[in-house]
Amino acid sequence: MEGHFNEPWLDASAPHGEVVLSCRARLARNIAGFPFVNHATAAQRKELLRVARQVLLGGGLSSGMIWVDLGRATEHDRRLLVERHLISKNLADSDIDRAVAISGDESLSVMVNEEDHLRIQILAAGLQLESIHERLNEIDDHVEGKVDYAFSRRWGYLTACPTNVGTGIRFSVMMHLPALKITNEIDRVRRAAKDLHLAVRGYYGEGSESAGDFYQISNQVTLGRSEEELLGELKDKILPRIIEYEQQARRVLVERNETLLDDRTQRALGILRSARLLGAEEAMKLLSRVRLAIALGRLPEIDPRVVNQLFLQVQPAHLQFQAERPLSAEQLRVTRATIVRKAFA
Amino acid sequence: MEGHFNEPWLDASAPHGEVVLSCRARLARNIAGFPFVNHATAAQRKELLRVARQVLLGGGLSSGMIWVDLGRATEHDRRLLVERHLISKNLADSDIDRAVAISGDESLSVMVNEEDHLRIQILAAGLQLESIHERLNEIDDHVEGKVDYAFSRRWGYLTACPTNVGTGIRFSVMMHLPALKITNEIDRVRRAAKDLHLAVRGYYGEGSESAGDFYQISNQVTLGRSEEELLGELKDKILPRIIEYEQQARRVLVERNETLLDDRTQRALGILRSARLLGAEEAMKLLSRVRLAIALGRLPEIDPRVVNQLFLQVQPAHLQFQAERPLSAEQLRVTRATIVRKAFA
C-alpha cells in the first residue's frame, strides 16, 4: 500500500456535493471459457488472476494502476481497502485467490474473483453519473478488446447472481441525508426507494447501518432494462427528487428552530474539538451534524473537504495506517479523538 | 434587590474547598409572648415583623443589613433569594406576612415568620463550622439581649417543630461528591449518614435532587445534645471521613482511567463552551465535571471561583436578573448557554 491517498471523490465542490458525497458505477463481467468463481477450481482462479492482471495492468486503462494480491495482503490492508470503498467486504473476507487493480487516483478499481470474475468500478465526487458511466463504458470496451466476456444474446452479460444479469450495471450514490433523518422523514424515502426497486444501504453497503446519516442508494434490477434507461431514471427523476426532499427538510430545520440547529452544530463541533476518547459511530454522527451545517452555510470557517475526509480517517484501518502500528480498541478511540481534534483545531 | 451580589461563601480557596462548597449554621428561635407562627393571628405576625425588624436592623448585628418584605417582593425576587440560599422555598411560597433580613455580604440572613419566628443563618465558604458557630452565637446573644426567647428549662429553646427543640441548631454542609457519584459509592454515604441521624438532601435542600453532584448534609436531631457535641461530631469525625472518602474516590478515578476522566472533563468543557441552548440540570452536571477536574489540578487555566459562581448564575431567577427581564423557557436556555459560553471563553 502507498504512503498517501488520493481522494478526488471527496471533492466537496462536486455537483450536488452538499447532499451527494460520491457516486459509483460498477459492472459485473465474467470471462468466457472460465467457470463462474464459485464453480472454478483453484487452478482456474489462479489462471484468471493471471489473465486479468495482464489485461488490467497492461496499459491503456488508467495511469498509475497498481495490483494488490489480496491473499498476500495483510488483514490491515484489506480493511483499509474496504474503508476506502475500493473492495467489498466479501472480497476482503474471502479465502480464495483474489486481487484488486486500482488506478493511481483511486477512481477506478477492478475486483478480480469476487462474485464475478471482474467487478469494474468507477467512483467520483458528488453526482456525476453520466460521466462515470461514460468512463466505465470506455474501460469496459478496453477490457472487452482483450478478452471475451461471457454473453448471451437472450440474457445479456452473464453473471453469477441473477440480479446482475443483463446490463450487469449498478449505479449507486452515497447520499448525506441528515435533515431527513432529524425530521423523521427518512423512512418515507426508504419506502419510496423500495417501490422503485432501489436498494437503500448504509455507509459500508449491504447490511451496514446508516452511520453518519449516509445512505447508499442503488438500482437492484439490471435485467430487461438498458443502461441508458436505468441511468436516465436515476439521474433525471429519482435522485433530484431525493436531493430536493433533503434540501427542503434542511430549510424546514432552519426555519423551524435555527437556534436548535446551531446548538446541535456547535455542540457537535465542541465535542469533536474536545473529546479525548471517540468511537467511530459517535464521530460519524457528530461529523454529520457539522457537514449539514457547512452545507447550510452556517460554518463558513470550516473546509468541507476536511469533514469529508474525516469520515474516512476516523475508520479503524485508516487510524492504524496513520499510527503506523496496530492499535487496541482503547488506542483507536484515543487516536481517533486526537486526529479529529487536530483537524478542527 | 441590589444590582450586584456578594458571594464570600463561594470562595474556592476556603478550607476543604475542593470538596465542601459551603457550610451553614442556623438557629430556630421564637420570641416569648407571641404564639408560634402557625397559631398567630395576622395582627400578631405583623407585630412580630415590626419587632424583628427593629432588632435586626437596629444596628450592632452586621454591616449593611437590608430588610426584604417578602409579601411585597416580586415572585422573581423571592426565587432569587431561594437560589442564593438566603430564604427557604417554604418562606418564598408562604402567603402570610413574612420577611428576611440580610447582611451586606449575604453571610447572615434571618427569616422572619417562617416555621419559627426567627431562623438565623450564617453561611460561609468551605468547611468552617467552628467559626460560623461562633458568629451565630454572637448574633444569637445580640438578639437575645433585645427580646426574650421562648425557652423551657426542661426542653431548651422551644420551636414549632419538635425536631428543632433543644439547642434549635442545625449545621449543614454543601458537599460536592462527583467521584462518589461516578464510582457508585454515594449510596453507601447516604446509608451511613442515615445511621448517624444525618439528613442528605440535594442542592436546594428538602426534596431536591442532587443537581451538580451536590449533597447537603445536616444534623436532624437537636434535642438532648449540646451544640458542642453536635459540632464536634460533625467537624471532627463525620465530615472528615466523607471528605476523605470522596478524595479517595477521586484518586481511584485518576489511577483507574486518566484518559476517561480527561475525556469527560474536556467534553463537558467543550459543550459548555459551545452550546447555544442549555438546561439548568445539564449545566450543573457539566459544571460538576469541570469542578472535579479543577480540584484534581487538571484544569489549571480555569478559575474555580468562576465555576462556583456559575452554579448560581445558571439558575432561572439569576438568569432573569442578569437579563433584566422575564424570560421564556427557551430564552432561559439561550441566556444560560450564552452566560456559560462567555464565562469559559
Side-chain angles (χ1 to χ4, degrees), chain A residues 257 259-260 262-263 266-267 270-271 274-278 282 330 334, chain B residues 257 259-260 262-263 266-267 270-271 274-278 282 330 334:
Chain A
N257 197 336
T259 310
L260 181 61
D262 285 341
D263 182 58
Q266 294 297 333
R267 279 170 180 256
I271 295 172
S274 313
R276 298 310 194 246
L277 291 167
L278 199 54
E282 188 190 6
E330 163 102 1
V334 171
Chain B
N257 197 335
T259 312
L260 181 61
D262 285 341
D263 182 58
Q266 294 297 333
R267 279 170 180 256
I271 295 171
S274 313
R276 298 308 195 246
L277 291 167
L278 200 55
E282 187 190 7
E330 162 102 1
V334 171

Side-chain angles (χ1 to χ4, degrees), chain A residues 294-312:
Chain A
I294 292 173
L296 288 168
R298 304 185 86 79
L299 287 175
E301 72 276 22
I302 293 179
D303 180 355
R305 194 183 157 83
V306 167
V307 178
N308 282 356
Q309 282 176 322
L310 278 174
F311 280 110
L312 266 188

Side-chain angles (χ1 to χ4, degrees), chain B residues 18 110 177 227 283:
Chain B
E18 68 285 1
V110 186
L177 307 176
E227 288 182 17

